[in-house]
């Protein structure tokens, strides 16, 4: 245990962000020097708040099974070398989760029953950022090669985790990515102000030094078919994500200026790192409306503000959540409460319990939205009479989530079985209905968190390794049927 009285004597503190007026002028991370460095002056005392519980529920909150009390104790003792070893024992990419995960481990922290929980996420990212600074993250190439080959399709967190585990197990792994650089949504969906892409680049470099091969600019299912890929490799891992976007088919949907968030954000991310994007979708000088109030909506908000939007309004059909944990969402479940992301601090307006009825336009260009308040009645949203109004908008962004993997091309070519939600069916070993084809991440689970994607990649790697060699010593943190602790 760290400080035996730390949870009683030390108040919770988190890393402080840069002033709003400063950070909205650039694309750097919102924390000075990154979140890990921003917390360093108080990191040991914050790690000392961990109680080292007899039953650490933070393990249940985290699908990776992170050894949180252990590395909290090591940080409190300032044993940074052992801390990163314990962290890497369960998590391939803590710099990703430490920046992007909503930290279900913290909402299941035992201290959080009647006090503020431990700053687990901040301690995690401080450990890995310190390890990178100290050159303490080394390639781990395998001691021997199995002679087996594996193709991983998709280089998001699930694909990267599966590929790294399988490479280290001695298999020859090639990762196929349709974009020009690997990383998936980590690279092109996450804005720089949340995670600078150096974090992705140096992990890719580490994996390359371990022996993983990356083949970018390859759309598997096009010139290289799924059947050809299956014939070339001893096993295939599909980590293609859930890329079918929800849409809003109401009058005026065909007007110009209405886009999906994943059309808008990748362009902004490319420009932020110095690339040229012809005909870029920009928010400069426009009234922007974002439909969807989740993380992707917040990413659009922060991006639009940095581009110089005149106004930004975020719409959410659900009512505003409570500020405190509701009684029907008891500890240690992940509560649906009102949260303020860094982008929300920077500006914009958030409207709850509203529904968009129609897009209005002038000369083929969107000019506004007709909206109204709604309330839930008998399980359905119904309009509140007399609340109809018009919001001005010259740019509308859909951030309403995803419904499953793309079926055309690869999925159809392999003849993969889908479940009732449109996700790819897999068995207990993560194998699909086609022998030798495994499935990891959102394409099998449905849209989920980065921490679940990494856990799935690690677990699928166990299944692949056992399939190729007859047994495996790789970790298997979750089963395909496991679900978050929610109500």
């Amino acid at each position: 245990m760290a400080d035996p009285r730390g949870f009683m004597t030390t108040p919770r503190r988190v890393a402080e962000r840069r002033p709003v007026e400063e950070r909205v002028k650039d694309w750097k991370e919102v924390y000075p020097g990154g979140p890990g460095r921003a917390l360093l002056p108080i990191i040991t005392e914050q790690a000392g708040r961990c109680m080292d519980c007899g039953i650490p529920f933070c393990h249940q909150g985290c699908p990776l099974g992170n050894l949180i009390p252990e590395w909290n104790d090591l940080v409190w003792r300032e044993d940074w070398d052992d801390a990163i070893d314990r962290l890497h024992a369960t998590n391939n990419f803590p710099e990703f989760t430490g920046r992007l995960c909503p930290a279900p481990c913290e909402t299941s922290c035992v201290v959080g029953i009647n006090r503020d929980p431990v700053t687990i996420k901040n301690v995690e990212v401080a450990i890995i950022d310190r390890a990178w600074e100290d050159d303490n993250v080394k390639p781990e190439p395998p001691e021997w090669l199995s002679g087996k080959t594996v193709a991983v399709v998709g280089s998001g967190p699930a694909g990267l985790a599966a590929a790294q585990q399988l490479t280290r197990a001695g298999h020859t792994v090639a990762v196929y990515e349709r974009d020009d650089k690997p990383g998936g949504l980590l690279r092109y969906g996450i804005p720089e102000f949340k995670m600078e892409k150096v974090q992705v680049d140096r992990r890719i470099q580490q994996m390359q030094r371990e022996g993983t091969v990356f083949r970018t600019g390859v759309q598997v299912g096009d010139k290289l078919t799924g059947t050809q890929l299956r014939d070339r490799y001893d096993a295939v891992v599909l980590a293609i994500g859930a890329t079918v976007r929800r849409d809003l088919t109401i009058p005026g949907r065909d007007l110009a200026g209405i886009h999906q968030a994943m059309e808008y954000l990748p362009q902004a991310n490319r420009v932020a790192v110095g690339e040229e994007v012809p005909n870029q979708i920009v928010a400069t000088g426009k009234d922007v409306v974002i439909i969807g109030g989740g993380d992707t909506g917040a990413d659009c908000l922060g991006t639009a503000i940095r581009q110089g939007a005149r106004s930004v309004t975020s719409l959410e059909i659900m009512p505003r959540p409570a500020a405190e944990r509701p009684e029907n969402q008891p500890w240690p479940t992940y509560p649906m409460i009102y949260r303020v992301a860094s982008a929300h601090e920077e500006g914009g307006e958030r409207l709850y319990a509203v529904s968009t009825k129609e897009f209005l336009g002038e000369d083929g260009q969107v000019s506004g939205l007709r909206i109204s308040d709604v309330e839930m009645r008998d399980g359905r949203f119904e309009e509140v009479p007399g609340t109809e109004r018009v919001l001005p908008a010259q740019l509308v962004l859909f951030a309403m989530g995803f419904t499953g993997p793309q079926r055309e091309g690869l999925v159809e070519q392999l003849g993969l079985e889908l479940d009732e939600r449109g996700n790819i069916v897999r068995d207990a070993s993560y194998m699909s209905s086609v022998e030798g084809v495994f499935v990891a991440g959102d394409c099998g689970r449905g849209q989920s968190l980065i921490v679940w994607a990494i856990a799935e990649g690690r677990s699928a790697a166990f299944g692949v390794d056992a399939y190729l060699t007859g047994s495996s010593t790789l970790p298997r943190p979750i089963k395909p049927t496991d679900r978050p602790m929610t109500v």
Side-chain angles (χ1 to χ4, degrees):
M1 184 175 182
D3 183 351
R5 297 178 58 82
F7 69 98
M8 294 186 291
T9 60
T10 304
R12 172 184 167 100
R13 291 177 61 187
V14 297
E16 293 186 3
R17 297 161 178 156
R18 293 190 288 142
V20 168
E21 60 272 15
E22 171 190 317
R23 69 190 196 226
V24 297
K25 297 177 182 178
D26 60 46
W27 295 92
K28 298 177 182 178
E29 287 189 347
V30 299
Y31 297 94
R37 176 169 289 280
L39 192 69
L40 279 181
I42 56 172
I43 189 65
T44 54
E45 66 178 34
Q46 289 302 302
R49 297 185 67 242
C50 179
M51 294 170 57
D52 193 15
C53 309
I55 300 177
F57 276 81
C58 54
H59 287 193
Q60 279 67 45
C62 175
L64 284 167
N66 281 334
L67 306 172
I68 295 165
E70 293 188 30
W71 40 258
N72 273 326
D73 177 71
L74 291 165
V75 169
W76 186 70
R77 301 175 190 280
E78 299 192 53
D79 187 348
W80 295 94
D81 289 351
D82 282 350
I84 188 59
D85 286 345
R86 301 313 291 150
L87 183 52
H88 270 152
T90 57
N91 188 349
N92 297 69
F93 315 118
E95 65 271 41
F96 301 163
T97 54
R99 286 170 166 81
L100 306 176
C101 181
C105 54
E106 293 189 13
T107 60
S108 59
C109 172
V110 174
V111 178
I113 295 176
N114 53 20
R115 299 174 185 267
D116 291 330
V118 177
T119 56
I120 298 170
K121 179 177 174 178
N122 278 183
V123 175
E124 175 185 18
V125 76
I127 295 171
I128 181 59
D129 283 4
R130 171 73 176 259
W132 281 114
E133 287 186 11
D134 292 347
D135 195 25
N136 204 16
V137 181
K138 305 291 186 182
E140 299 178 28
E143 295 182 1
W144 54 273
L145 295 178
S146 67
K148 301 293 186 179
T149 58
V150 182
V152 176
V153 185
S155 65
L160 292 179
Q164 186 166 64
Q165 293 294 97
L166 290 167
T167 296
R168 291 175 175 177
H171 306 303
T172 301
V173 180
V175 178
Y176 288 83
E177 169 57 52
R178 62 184 175 184
D179 282 319
D180 56 338
K181 292 181 181 179
L185 289 184
L186 291 170
R187 182 179 297 279
Y188 293 120
I190 304 298
E192 285 281 297
F193 57 82
K194 284 180 66 174
M195 185 179 74
E196 295 177 15
K197 299 310 169 283
V198 64
Q199 308 297 338
V200 179
D201 291 337
R202 56 190 178 188
R203 276 299 178 184
I204 299 299
Q205 292 167 6
Q206 180 200 33
M207 293 177 65
Q208 289 173 326
R209 291 179 183 134
E210 292 172 346
T212 304
V213 175
F214 289 88
R215 305 191 187 282
T216 57
V218 180
Q219 175 69 65
V220 179
D222 190 7
K223 293 183 179 179
L224 175 61
T225 68
T227 305
Q228 290 171 332
L229 193 72
R230 181 66 191 92
D231 291 341
R232 290 184 188 181
Y233 292 87
D234 296 309
V236 173
V237 179
L238 302 185
I240 56 177
T243 58
V244 178
R245 307 152 183 168
R246 285 193 176 91
D247 211 315
L248 189 59
T249 53
I250 58 175
R253 173 62 182 88
D254 57 346
L255 291 166
I258 303 173
H259 302 276
Q260 291 282 352
M262 286 306 153
E263 297 172 329
Y264 173 68
L265 289 173
Q267 292 185 355
N269 290 339
R270 288 179 180 276
V271 171
V273 297
E275 297 183 28
E276 293 186 5
V277 176
N279 303 314
Q280 181 191 2
I281 304 166
V282 294
T284 310
K286 297 176 182 177
D287 299 303
V288 180
V289 173
I290 302 164
I291 301 180
D295 288 342
T296 302
D299 294 345
C300 291
L301 169 62
T303 299
I305 288 173
R306 283 163 177 77
Q307 290 179 343
R310 179 165 52 203
S311 69
V312 187
T313 306
S314 300
L315 307 183
E316 172 59 61
I317 196 170
M318 299 296 293
R320 174 171 168 163
E324 303 292 335
R325 182 190 287 271
E327 291 185 2
N328 66 345
Q329 298 173 29
W331 177 90
T333 61
Y334 187 80
M336 303 308 294
I337 61 175
Y338 182 74
R339 292 180 169 88
V340 178
S342 65
H344 297 136
E345 298 172 340
E346 297 166 359
E349 183 179 8
R350 303 167 78 179
L351 299 182
Y352 289 89
V354 295
S355 177
T356 304
K357 302 175 63 176
E358 179 184 8
F359 297 114
L360 308 175
E362 297 176 3
D363 300 324
Q365 169 71 40
V366 67
S367 62
L369 293 78
R370 192 182 306 278
I371 66 171
S372 65
D373 295 344
V374 294
E375 59 185 13
M376 185 75 74
R377 297 175 188 165
D378 299 324
R380 298 178 60 183
F381 289 107
E382 294 189 11
E383 180 180 349
V384 178
T387 62
E388 184 178 293
R389 57 204 185 272
V390 173
L391 285 179
Q394 298 82 49
L395 176 61
V396 178
L397 301 171
F398 293 160
M400 301 181 294
F402 305 86
T403 60
Q406 178 180 324
R407 302 183 187 186
E408 299 80 9
L410 180 59
V411 172
E412 290 181 346
Q413 290 167 3
L414 290 171
L416 301 175
E417 182 182 349
L418 303 178
D419 64 19
E420 65 278 2
R421 292 174 175 256
N423 300 316
I424 304 174
V425 171
R426 60 265 181 91
D427 63 17
S429 67
Y430 287 80
M431 190 185 295
S432 71
S433 56
V434 176
E435 183 178 351
V437 178
F438 294 77
V439 179
D442 290 1
C443 60
R445 169 170 293 274
Q447 182 182 349
S448 189
L449 303 177
I450 182 173
V451 69
W452 282 90
I454 296 173
E456 288 231 347
R458 289 170 65 88
S459 299
F462 174 96
V464 174
D465 190 36
Y467 171 75
L468 294 176
T469 64
S471 63
S472 180
T473 58
L474 293 176
R476 180 174 51 178
I478 60 172
K479 295 179 290 187
T481 53
D482 287 343
R483 290 296 181 264
M485 285 198 303
T486 57
V487 290

